[in-house]
């Protein structure tokens, strides 16, 4: 098979790495890919965000399967258009991608189908939103309805913070049209976990539960990011809770989308808050999570390609996937300034030595090859240093061993990835 992967982050490098290892695959193409995917196949010119570029690449290279990584082209209808031209594509249609593309859509969907989530109201009038906040106890969560690159959520511990968030989103239009409508919901206190599920619209196969680290600083401090590290499995999701999440959240979500006439096929990412042992949906993403996909695919023992193809063809084999024993941990190395402004172009050193450590894979996120064959910083999240071990402690020690071999001007990472899981294992 020839497989085209759309996107350029750590998620796409991890997908390319796993897909390239499949005996079914002869060639991997990435649009546009990064410095890591360049070593596994061919990087194509163009933008992952442009549906026209995606179609162009497919027409030109005739892949047997297209895997669309990021949410923007999915929400913009890349899969609909690929299918209309006869291509086999992994990912939801634009109608199903509304689960991530609109928070109002997803909250109403959850409410309609009786799936547990925080109580909420939606507003398209800023005066009404401000008035509502005055009547509600804090903390409160204000969310821009549309896509805002992971930055459209404000967890507000004081009323004036919530008012400021509403003004920023609805009046100053910090996120453009994405903030013209907001969701205001109750704040849930608990432990977060992510469950990613492969589904063809009817049948589904869950991946292992993962835990992400969203804040930029150690001890969960500082601004939210796309994710600074992740590990699998997440000890917070024991067998009983995992089963409850499948019954109470995953099965009704997949059945609900089908019943509503927009069956969801692809990877459904369920972001959960576990409150007193019960799961509540914080958000849906309509794609593989990043960085979660990096440890997940290193931890996966089975070939991923039959499942991807099963999803694309609407004939997913529901047999459980096989996983390695132990745990896998991914530490994101980022560029100084991230998640704000950051500089590009610093030369990364130590990639070969770090990647040669046993059970370590160094995924590239924001990198590119320079003219001299070196690898340079090209994004805020630069590398996803991923290691497998006999347990979480061993996986994490190995990941940090690799981190310490990598350097460039401006590199930083969190030093506490996995702490929560280790605490739980110890307690
Ligand atoms: P979202 O993009 O909706 O997942 O929100 C980003 C982050 O904001 C989540 O990972 C949580 O850390 C936090 N968050 C979102 N909704 C809530 C909520 N209702 N209660 C507490 N934290 C939340
Ligand atoms: N790591 C969170 C996400 O992929 O949105």
């Amino acid at each position: 098979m020839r497989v085209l992967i759309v996107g350029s982050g750590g998620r796409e490098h991890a997908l390319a790495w796993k897909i390239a290892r499949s005996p079914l695959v002869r060639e991997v193409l990435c649009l546009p890919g990064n410095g890591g995917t360049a070593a596994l196949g061919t990087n194509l010119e163009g933008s992952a965000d442009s549906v026209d570029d995606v179609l162009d690449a497919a027409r030109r290279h005739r892949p047997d399967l297209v895997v669309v990584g990021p949410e923007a082209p999915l929400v913009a209808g890349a899969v609909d258009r690929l299918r209309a031209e006869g291509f086999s594509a992994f990912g939801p249609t634009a109608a199903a991608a509304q689960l991530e593309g609109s928070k109002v859509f997803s909250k109403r969907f959850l409410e309609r189908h009786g799936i547990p989530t925080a109580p909420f109201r939606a507003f398209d009038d800023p005066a009404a939103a401000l008035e509502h906040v005055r009547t509600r106890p804090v903390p409160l969560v204000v969310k821009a309805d549309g896509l805002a690159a992971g930055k459209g959520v404000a967890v507000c511990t004081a009323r004036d913070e919530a008012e400021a968030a509403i003004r920023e989103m609805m009046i100053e239009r910090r996120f453009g049209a994405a903030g013209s409508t907001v969701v205001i919901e109750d704040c849930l206190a608990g432990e977060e976990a992510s469950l990613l599920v492969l589904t063809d619209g009817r049948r589904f196969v869950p991946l292992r539960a993962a835990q992400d680290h969203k804040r930029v600083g150690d001890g969960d401090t500082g601004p939210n990011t796309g994710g600074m590290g992740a590990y699998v499995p997440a000890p917070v999701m024991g067998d009983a809770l995992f089963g409850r999440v499948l019954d109470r959240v995953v099965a009704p979500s997949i059945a609900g989308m089908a019943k509503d006439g927009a069956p969801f096929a692809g990877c459904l990412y369920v972001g959960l808050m576990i409150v007193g042992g019960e799961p509540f949906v914080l958000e849906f993403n309509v794609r593989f999570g990043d960085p979660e996909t990096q440890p997940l695919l290193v931890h996966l023992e089975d070939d991923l390609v039959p499942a991807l193809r099963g999803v694309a063809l609407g004939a997913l084999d529901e047999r459980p996937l096989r996983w390695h024993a132990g745990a896998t941990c991914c530490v994101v190395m980022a560029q100084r300034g991230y998640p704000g402004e950051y500089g590009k172009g610093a030369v990364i050193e130590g990639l070969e030595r770090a990647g040669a450590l046993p059970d370590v894979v160094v995924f590239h996120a924001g990198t590119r090859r320079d003219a001299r064959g070196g690898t340079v910083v090209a994004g805020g999240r630069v590398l996803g240093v991923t290691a497998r071990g006999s347990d979480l402690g061993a996986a994490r020690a190995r990941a940090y061993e690799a981190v310490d071999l990598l350097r460039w001007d401006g590199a930083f990472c969190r030093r506490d990835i996995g702490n929560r899981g280790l605490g739980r294992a110890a307690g």
Side-chain angles (χ1 to χ4, degrees):
M1 289 170 72
R2 177 185 297 147
V3 182
L4 169 62
I5 297 161
V6 177
S8 63
R11 163 183 54 217
E12 285 77 20
H13 187 193
L15 282 165
W17 174 83
K18 187 68 185 170
I19 288 169
R21 293 162 81 90
S22 169
L24 300 169
V25 172
R26 192 168 39 80
E27 191 182 0
V28 172
L29 307 165
C30 292
L31 174 75
N34 61 34
T37 64
L40 293 168
T42 309
N43 284 351
L44 305 176
E45 301 230 349
S47 163
D49 289 343
S50 158
V51 176
D52 287 332
D53 286 5
V54 174
L55 263 292
D56 234 37
R59 288 184 198 122
R60 205 176 302 221
H61 298 279
R62 314 299 306 174
D64 303 293
L65 176 66
V66 184
V67 181
V68 182
E71 63 276 15
L74 292 168
V75 171
V79 165
D80 310 63
R81 286 195 44 205
L82 286 163
R83 295 235 172 98
E85 294 198 19
F87 293 106
S88 175
F90 177 94
T93 60
Q98 285 301 296
L99 278 182
E100 179 169 359
S102 166
K103 302 263 189 215
V104 176
F105 176 95
S106 68
K107 293 294 289 193
R108 294 207 170 122
F109 169 82
L110 290 164
E111 188 174 56
R112 184 162 66 246
H113 293 281
I115 300 164
T117 191
F120 77 102
R121 294 261 315 263
F123 295 92
D124 54 17
D125 170 21
L130 289 166
E131 183 52 39
H132 175 71
V133 160
R134 283 182 204 115
T135 67
R136 300 291 303 168
V138 285
L140 272 177
V141 184
V142 182
K143 301 184 172 183
D145 176 51
L147 294 182
K151 294 179 184 135
V153 174
V155 179
C156 308
T157 47
R159 200 155 283 144
D160 57 340
E161 274 175 51
E163 290 170 0
I166 290 167
R167 282 198 200 93
E168 254 188 16
M169 289 177 195
M170 301 187 81
I171 299 170
E172 292 152 26
R173 294 295 172 97
R174 174 159 173 229
F175 307 111
S180 58
T181 302
V182 299
V183 164
I184 302 179
E185 65 181 42
D186 291 359
C187 189
L188 301 174
E191 191 169 343
E192 282 184 61
S194 319
L195 184 62
L196 283 66
V197 181
L198 302 177
T199 171
D200 63 5
R202 274 192 310 135
R203 289 164 287 244
F204 64 86
V205 176
L207 307 185
R208 284 276 195 262
Q211 202 159 45
D212 188 10
H213 297 62
K214 292 222 160 102
R215 303 294 193 102
V216 75
D218 284 3
D220 294 324
T221 53
N224 259 317
T225 68
M228 293 299 291
Y231 58 91
V232 291
V236 63
M237 287 270 262
D239 289 346
L241 178 57
F242 198 97
R244 193 143 61 237
V245 170
L246 296 185
D247 291 346
R248 294 277 290 126
V249 176
V250 173
S253 296
I254 291 167
M257 289 299 284
K259 193 163 153 217
D260 292 351
F264 183 99
C267 178
L268 182 64
Y269 172 124
V270 187
L272 296 163
M273 186 73 87
I274 312 302
V275 186
E278 288 299 321
F280 289 79
V281 176
L282 289 181
E283 64 163 341
F284 286 118
N285 294 321
V286 299
R287 47 164 178 84
F288 286 99
D290 199 1
E292 291 92 329
T293 301
Q294 302 176 50
L296 276 166
L297 295 187
V298 168
H299 204 64
L300 178 62
E301 191 179 346
D302 264 331
D303 189 354
L304 180 66
V305 174
L308 296 175
R309 195 164 57 174
V311 167
L313 298 175
L316 177 65
D317 181 345
E318 273 189 306
R319 250 179 315 184
L321 293 166
R322 281 180 305 138
W323 301 86
H324 290 291
T328 303
C329 179
C330 168
V331 178
V332 169
M333 297 182 74
Q335 178 64 10
R336 184 171 52 228
Y338 176 79
E341 299 283 307
Y342 54 85
K344 297 183 181 177
V347 177
I348 301 168
E349 282 166 41
L351 282 166
E352 237 167 74
R353 279 181 68 207
L357 289 179
D359 302 321
V360 169
V361 190
V362 179
F363 290 120
H364 295 223
T367 77
R368 61 175 179 77
R369 291 261 177 104
D370 71 3
R372 274 183 256 111
T375 301
V376 302
V377 171
R381 289 191 293 176
V382 180
L383 300 174
V385 182
T386 307
R388 201 148 63 73
S390 54
D391 58 22
L392 178 55
R396 163 180 133 126
R398 183 52 62 77
Y400 280 112
E401 196 184 321
V403 162
D404 291 334
L405 296 173
L406 289 156
R407 26 189 115 233
W408 67 87
D409 181 29
F412 78 93
C413 66
R414 277 182 64 162
R415 282 279 158 189
D416 63 346
I417 302 303
N419 266 7
R420 225 187 259 272
L422 287 174
R424 198 169 272 277

